[in-house]
Amino acid sequence: MNPFSSGTRLRDMIRAIRACKTAAEERAVVRKECAAIRTSMNENDQDYRHRNLAKLMFIHMLGYPTHFGQMECLKLIASAGFPEKRIGYLGLMLLLDERQEVLMLVTNSLKQDLNHSNQYIVGLALCALGNICSAEMARDLAPEVERLLQFRDPNVRKKAALCTIRIIKKVPDLSENFINPAAALLKEKHHGVLITGIQLCTDLCKVSPEALEFLRKHTDGLVKTLKDAVNSPYTPEYDISGIADPFLHIRLLKLLRVLGQGDADASDVMNDILAQVATKTESNKNAGNAILYECVETIMSIEDNGGLRVLAINILGRFLSNRDNNIRYVALNMLMKAITVDAQAVQRHRATILECVKDSDASIQKRALELVYVLVNETNVKPLTKELIDYLEVSDQEFKGELTAKICSIIEKFSPEKNWYIDQMLKVLNKAGNFVKDEVWHALIAVISSASDLHGYTVRALYKAFQTSSEQESLVRVAVWCIGEYGDMLVNNVGMLDIEDPITVTESDTVDVVKIAIKHHALDLTTKAMALIALLKLSSRFPSCSERIKDIIVQHKGSFVLELQQRSLEFNSIIEKHQNIRSALVERMPILDDATFSTRRAGSLPGAASTSGGASLNIPNGVAKPSAAPLVDLLDLSDDLPAPSSSGGDFLQDLLGVDLSPAPTQSGIGQIQKAGTDVLLDLLSIGTPVQSSSPITDILSSSQNDKSPIATLDALSSPSSLSAQATSSARAAPMMDLLDGFGPSPLKPEDNGSVYPPLVAFQSSSLRITFNFSKQPGNPQTTLIQATFTNLTPNVFTDFIFQAAVPKFLQLHLDPASSNILPASGNGSITQNLRVTNSQHGKKSLVMRTRMSYKFDNKVTLEEGQINNFPQDLGS
């Protein structure tokens, strides 16, 4: 017989294909076989039609096109015999899908077979319909399927239930027709029919609220069925690992979960049986673990029952001790969901979860680390951080990056005090400094800068860490920065703490550290540039080492990197030729305010701050954790205001986030020259108030002259200062012209009676701000505001600062506040005068965004608000 004739048996074709040694040979065999099948189809060979279709199905499974055989499926389905129909329906399910137009031709054959007297043919039609049913077919054949749900044979009822699931997913509107038949299946004794009926009810509840309410009435019956399954004796027919039909258990638990979710009555009914399943099910086999997992899912999903949830979380705790990685992984996933429901119960398993972080399986490591991160709070941050840092040293290289990021985030988020924060960050830098992101060590430098009492302690700790971990890049950068700033404290043992042992470090030793940093990190531009700056600063702090430092710096004057070459030449020139100004150039960095730096890091957050009822933002003595928009966003009331760039080349400018570009200045009495602050002043349209006894006021219109986050930059931005003679009447007129008519005297609002009622501009649980308004005669565009600040708490607020910003069409001027200490419990207040000029008076109303910061218990608190409810008369 021709091996490729239509009479070739299926096994012969399979043998021929498997004997092929190359893909080309296989394609040739398939091509010849397909040609023979086409010839047979054209000749309408009915004897071998079923054999040809069986071959086509195998060819289709190999990935070759078989669309030319689709009509053969329909012809076989229309045949009278069961064998032909079986092959035809099998081909229909394999070779076609619901998107094929040919499928429309089979609807009539399916309808006839669903009404066939032979139950096996009915079963074939139900299987095909359940696999490839389209929406049109579902509408046409739904009545036949509904009738078959009450068919005498359990196998047909089971297949009809599965087919119904496909129908209601395709056409949810038909679900109401199947609610009663589906509920009837819940009383079945045959486990196969019962399982499919439960699955059908579960899907009905998901697509139809009416079905959900109807089936909740059957909760008692389902609970009884589950109780019978749990207490049933050994049945060989259904037994799996000593458990009677675990598949039925799982389906019942899933349906109970859907019914109990959001319904307290249904949840109460199922509480007892869930507790029984959780306590009686054996957990030494996979079947038992599967039931326990579904039981835990159900307990966590239904309405609140504290005792049951503790029991469920304890089961998950047992799962974590299982040797099977899959069971531990699903337990970690489930605990991640459970922590939102009962965090205290999950906390009891903290030690076990922490052990999972050290697991050899990467997926378990990552999932456990995510769970530990969620578990951390103010009470357990210290022990958990210690465990994670200890593990950091021995963890895999692939895992170190993610672990380091989580540890740094935990330290920053929950730091109780700056001392602890610095210690922990130094440990992380010591063990995994190469995995620390730039923003992390930037933040560390900001915290170190603001912790004045810890400068000596920090620089000594970094010096010791550098001796053992000079290969950790981020550690080297922080160490070099601190040594440049506080190297004299290192040599003189300034600021010793009780926990420290004194160390002996000479000036030469300090210079050696920076020199080693340059050599070890010769390819790293950032570290090298920071080291050169540190050397320049040390040349001023250690005059005896000035020549040696100059020799180290001058080595880079021929560097191919322009940045290093320029720094080397300029620094060398400063050391050689500008001794008189060197000490002023390399003074210590001004103390950086934690809150300002952190808000700048946070990025822009959408939405305006609420003006009332919002909880104040507490910043502990550690790391600022603001949730509000950054300071520039506070002032960004106009959509067209450009955002500040943080990509400046100057390290000081990048660290502080302000423009320090110097402008040409002249010395002389009564001359006020603009410096880097002018850019922000012009951007924000905020006038600069002048004071008779202080330098240029803080660019943010701060109410406290010396406590502003960047008040110490006055000397950098404007070297010339106002002398006492600047307030004389002879020089008052030029000063007013320079400052757009703003005089040096504090504003005195006129009392205009009750024309403009007082306005509570801002009120929270701790602070109230009241505005009193007045107008200058003959100048309706200008509004004089007297702000009164009242403390509503029993704590005294110190370092009180009020800041405000307005859109570009408004001009804002702030006078100094009456005090920076706000008495407790309303036993006094602070007043401050504001003047707002509206350039679009009569067209646009006043609007203002405010920001208040103050301290109590050594903690900084920020509050923000936006005022949109100014009296309408002010703008008209």
Side-chain angles (χ1 to χ4, degrees):
M1 181 183 291
N2 182 353
F4 300 113
S5 68
S6 60
T8 307
R9 293 181 301 175
L10 175 63
R11 70 178 62 181
D12 294 332
M13 185 195 74
I14 294 174
R15 190 177 293 117
I17 290 174
R18 288 182 175 173
C20 297
K21 296 181 179 179
T22 63
E25 287 182 31
E26 180 183 294
R27 287 195 295 271
V29 172
V30 171
R31 189 164 51 247
K32 291 178 182 177
E33 188 64 50
C34 287
I37 293 172
R38 283 196 189 92
T39 302
S40 177
M41 290 179 182
N42 293 334
E43 294 173 355
N44 200 18
D45 187 352
Q46 298 184 12
D47 295 335
Y48 295 109
R49 182 172 286 158
H50 65 284
R51 181 181 290 180
N52 289 337
L53 190 56
K55 293 179 184 178
L56 279 178
M57 284 189 282
F58 183 79
I59 293 170
H60 172 79
M61 287 161 51
L62 293 176
Y64 295 97
T66 55
H67 56 276
F68 59 88
Q70 291 175 352
M71 291 304 297
E72 293 298 296
C73 297
L74 274 61
K75 293 177 182 177
L76 284 172
I77 290 171
S79 302
F82 175 79
E84 289 80 7
K85 283 184 179 290
R86 184 177 64 175
I87 294 294
Y89 278 120
L90 185 59
L92 183 75
M93 290 184 282
L94 276 178
L95 305 184
L96 283 83
D97 58 45
E98 60 181 278
R99 294 167 296 178
Q100 301 284 346
E101 293 183 1
V102 180
L103 205 58
M104 298 174 59
L105 304 176
V106 82
T107 303
N108 192 48
S109 296
L110 279 169
K111 189 168 186 176
Q112 290 178 1
D113 289 342
L114 289 174
N115 292 296
H116 204 281
S117 58
N118 187 331
Q119 66 185 35
Y120 299 107
I121 291 177
V122 175
L124 290 176
L126 286 170
C127 283
L129 188 61
N131 278 280
I132 61 167
C133 173
S134 63
E136 292 79 9
M137 292 174 68
R139 292 189 180 92
D140 294 337
L141 301 175
E144 278 71 22
V145 176
E146 182 183 351
R147 178 182 55 80
L148 291 172
L149 287 172
Q150 284 93 33
F151 197 77
R152 65 183 184 279
D153 185 72
N155 289 320
V156 172
R157 293 201 300 275
K158 179 176 69 174
K159 292 178 181 179
L162 293 172
C163 187
T164 304
I165 294 172
R166 170 89 177 194
I167 290 173
I168 63 173
K169 285 182 178 179
K170 290 295 176 184
V171 189
D173 295 342
L174 295 174
S175 59
E176 61 184 17
N177 300 333
F178 294 99
I179 294 176
N180 287 318
L185 294 178
L186 298 178
K187 300 176 183 178
E188 285 280 351
K189 299 299 181 184
H190 189 282
H191 282 211
V193 180
L194 182 57
I195 288 174
T196 53
I198 292 170
Q199 184 60 46
L200 173 57
C201 290
T202 304
D203 288 315
L204 278 171
C205 291
K206 292 177 181 177
V207 300
S208 169
E210 293 82 5
L212 178 60
E213 289 302 319
F214 180 81
L215 290 171
R216 276 179 175 154
K217 301 173 185 176
H218 294 74
T219 304
D220 289 327
L222 290 169
V223 168
K224 183 179 181 302
T225 304
L226 181 56
K227 187 177 292 185
D228 292 342
V230 172
N231 298 321
S232 64
Y234 172 75
T235 310
E237 184 180 358
Y238 303 119
D239 183 81
I240 298 177
S241 301
I243 298 174
D245 203 345
F247 299 103
L248 178 60
H249 284 74
I250 290 170
R251 294 294 179 190
L252 282 166
L253 288 168
K254 285 185 175 180
L255 179 54
L256 289 174
R257 183 191 317 159
V258 175
L259 297 178
Q261 198 164 10
D263 189 287
D265 294 335
S267 300
D268 289 340
V269 171
M270 61 185 75
N271 280 341
D272 291 342
I273 187 59
L274 291 176
Q276 189 175 345
V277 172
T279 52
K280 290 189 65 174
T281 306
E282 295 291 334
S283 60
N284 54 354
K285 299 288 185 181
N286 263 349
N289 287 328
I291 294 172
L292 287 173
Y293 177 76
E294 290 298 336
C295 183
V296 170
E297 281 260 35
T298 303
I299 291 171
M300 290 298 172
S301 300
I302 65 174
E303 292 308 294
D304 187 30
N305 186 305
L308 266 183
R309 284 182 175 168
V310 171
L311 177 62
I313 292 172
N314 289 340
I315 291 172
L316 295 176
R318 291 207 309 269
F319 280 1
L320 292 178
S321 303
N322 199 297
R323 289 178 297 177
D324 191 325
N325 285 346
N326 295 323
I327 294 175
R328 282 191 289 166
Y329 187 81
V330 297
L332 290 169
N333 270 340
M334 195 62 212
L335 284 170
M336 187 70 78
K337 300 175 186 176
I339 197 169
T340 60
V341 178
D342 192 344
Q344 195 58 41
V346 180
Q347 288 281 2
R348 298 192 190 102
H349 304 280
R350 194 172 63 213
T352 311
I353 297 168
L354 204 54
E355 286 302 313
C356 290
V357 176
K358 305 172 185 178
D359 195 87
S360 57
D361 187 278
S363 58
I364 290 178
Q365 277 184 339
K366 291 181 180 180
R367 184 60 69 193
L369 182 60
E370 291 170 5
L371 183 54
V372 168
Y373 182 76
V374 179
L375 284 174
V376 177
N377 55 38
E378 288 80 0
T379 59
N380 61 25
V381 60
K382 290 188 176 181
L384 278 178
T385 305
K386 181 181 182 302
E387 290 281 351
L388 291 175
I389 292 177
D390 289 344
Y391 176 62
L392 183 61
E393 191 170 8
V394 297
S395 60
D396 298 333
Q397 293 295 316
E398 296 80 8
F399 188 50
K400 265 187 180 174
E402 189 170 354
L403 181 58
T404 302
K406 290 291 185 186
I407 293 174
C408 292
S409 180
I410 288 170
I411 295 171
E412 183 173 355
K413 190 175 181 182
F414 297 102
S415 167
E417 54 191 14
K418 288 185 178 180
N419 195 354
W420 184 84
Y421 173 89
I422 293 171
D423 284 342
Q424 303 311 307
M425 289 303 300
L426 292 187
K427 289 179 183 177
V428 174
L429 293 177
N430 199 2
K431 296 181 179 181
N434 293 333
F435 296 91
V436 172
K437 296 180 180 178
D438 286 349
E439 56 265 25
V440 174
W441 64 266
H442 290 171
L444 175 59
I445 287 178
V447 173
I448 293 171
S449 170
S450 64
S452 304
D453 54 336
L454 297 175
H455 287 168
Y457 168 75
T458 304
V459 72
R460 284 187 291 274
L462 282 165
Y463 177 81
K464 295 174 188 175
F466 184 88
Q467 308 301 318
T468 58
S469 302
S470 59
E471 73 284 352
Q472 301 292 350
E473 188 175 290
S474 297
L475 174 68
V476 172
R477 290 177 180 176
V478 178
V480 164
W481 187 90
C482 286
I483 288 172
E485 293 296 318
Y486 317 119
D488 51 336
M489 292 185 172
L490 173 63
V491 172
N492 299 323
N493 279 328
V494 176
M496 290 289 295
L497 301 182
D498 295 338
I499 59 174
E500 287 187 271
D501 295 325
I503 59 173
T504 303
V505 181
T506 64
E507 294 179 354
S508 180
D509 293 337
T510 307
V511 175
D512 286 340
V513 169
V514 184
K515 183 178 179 182
I516 292 171
I518 294 178
K519 287 185 177 180
H520 280 196
H521 297 269
L523 300 179
D524 182 36
L525 174 61
T526 302
T527 307
K528 210 163 188 177
M530 292 176 68
L532 289 177
I533 295 175
L535 286 172
L536 177 64
K537 293 195 172 191
L538 291 178
S539 70
S540 175
R541 291 157 176 56
F542 304 149
S544 61
C545 296
S546 184
E547 283 301 317
R548 184 185 172 203
I549 291 172
K550 188 185 78 170
D551 293 340
I552 299 173
I553 291 176
V554 85
Q555 293 174 8
H556 299 278
K557 69 179 182 181
S559 172
F560 292 119
V561 181
L562 180 60
E563 174 73 17
L564 297 179
Q565 183 187 108
Q566 182 177 352
R567 288 185 188 229
S568 176
L569 292 171
E570 290 176 353
F571 294 172
N572 186 52
S573 175
I574 291 171
I575 295 173
E576 284 186 344
K577 303 176 183 179
H578 303 283
Q579 299 284 345
N580 56 332
I581 66 169
R582 180 175 58 177
S583 59
L585 286 175
V586 296
E587 284 182 351
R588 283 203 182 113
M589 293 277 286
I591 294 176
L592 180 63
D593 177 66
D594 290 355
T596 303
F597 181 80
S598 296
T599 49
R600 180 171 171 264
R601 282 184 62 208
S604 177
L605 297 178
S610 173
T611 59
S612 64
S616 63
L617 182 63
N618 292 322
I619 303 179
N621 181 25
V623 180
K625 301 183 282 293
S627 61
L631 185 58
V632 173
D633 285 346
L634 165 69
L635 304 171
D636 187 13
L637 293 179
S638 177
D639 293 334
D640 58 352
L641 296 186
S645 171
S646 61
S647 59
D650 185 75
F651 185 74
L652 175 65
Q653 173 181 336
D654 184 62
L655 182 62
L656 297 180
V658 296
D659 187 0
L660 300 181
S661 305
T665 60
Q666 292 181 354
S667 61
I669 299 174
Q671 298 290 334
I672 300 179
Q673 301 295 338
K674 294 184 179 181
T677 59
D678 286 348
V679 178
L680 281 178
L681 288 175
D682 292 342
L683 173 67
L684 305 173
S685 303
I686 298 177
T688 308
V690 180
Q691 303 168 38
S692 60
S693 60
S694 65
I696 297 175
T697 307
D698 167 20
I699 64 171
L700 296 177
S701 303
S702 169
S703 66
Q704 183 183 358
N705 300 333
D706 298 327
K707 298 296 184 179
S708 169
I710 52 176
T712 51
L713 295 178
D714 290 337
L716 292 174
S717 60
S718 182
S720 62
S721 61
L722 300 178
S723 66
Q725 289 87 346
T727 60
S728 66
S729 59
R731 309 204 183 268
M735 187 182 301
M736 291 178 67
D737 291 340
L738 178 65
L739 298 176
D740 299 328
F742 293 164
S745 302
L747 297 177
K748 301 295 183 182
E750 296 182 5
D751 185 7
N752 61 346
S754 59
V755 177
Y756 304 111
L759 170 69
V760 177
F762 175 85
Q763 182 161 346
S764 67
S765 60
S766 55
L767 182 66
R768 181 173 65 240
I769 305 175
T770 305
F771 281 0
N772 290 290
F773 306 99
S774 62
K775 291 275 192 180
Q776 290 180 332
N779 188 7
Q781 294 90 350
T782 300
T783 302
L784 307 180
I785 303 174
Q786 184 180 60
T788 304
F789 307 95
T790 306
N791 182 353
L792 305 179
T793 70
N795 303 305
V796 176
F797 295 164
T798 59
D799 295 352
F800 185 86
I801 299 174
F802 172 73
Q803 297 167 335
V806 293
K808 280 192 170 181
F809 67 88
L810 299 176
Q811 285 278 333
L812 174 65
H813 171 87
L814 282 83
D815 274 353
S818 59
S819 174
N820 66 345
I821 297 176
L822 192 55
S825 304
N827 295 326
S829 60
I830 295 176
T831 60
Q832 185 169 4
N833 294 327
L834 299 81
R835 180 167 63 198
V836 182
T837 302
N838 188 349
S839 62
Q840 299 192 28
H841 182 70
K843 297 179 181 179
K844 291 187 178 182
S845 302
L846 300 184
V847 64
M848 182 182 297
R849 188 172 288 182
T850 61
R851 183 178 193 173
M852 294 66 66
S853 67
Y854 50 85
K855 288 183 181 179
F856 69 90
D857 293 338
N858 290 325
K859 294 183 180 179
V860 179
T861 298
L862 299 179
E863 298 197 47
E864 294 184 2
Q866 183 162 320
I867 309 170
N868 301 314
N869 56 340
F870 283 96
Q872 292 296 324
D873 295 345
L874 293 175
S876 59

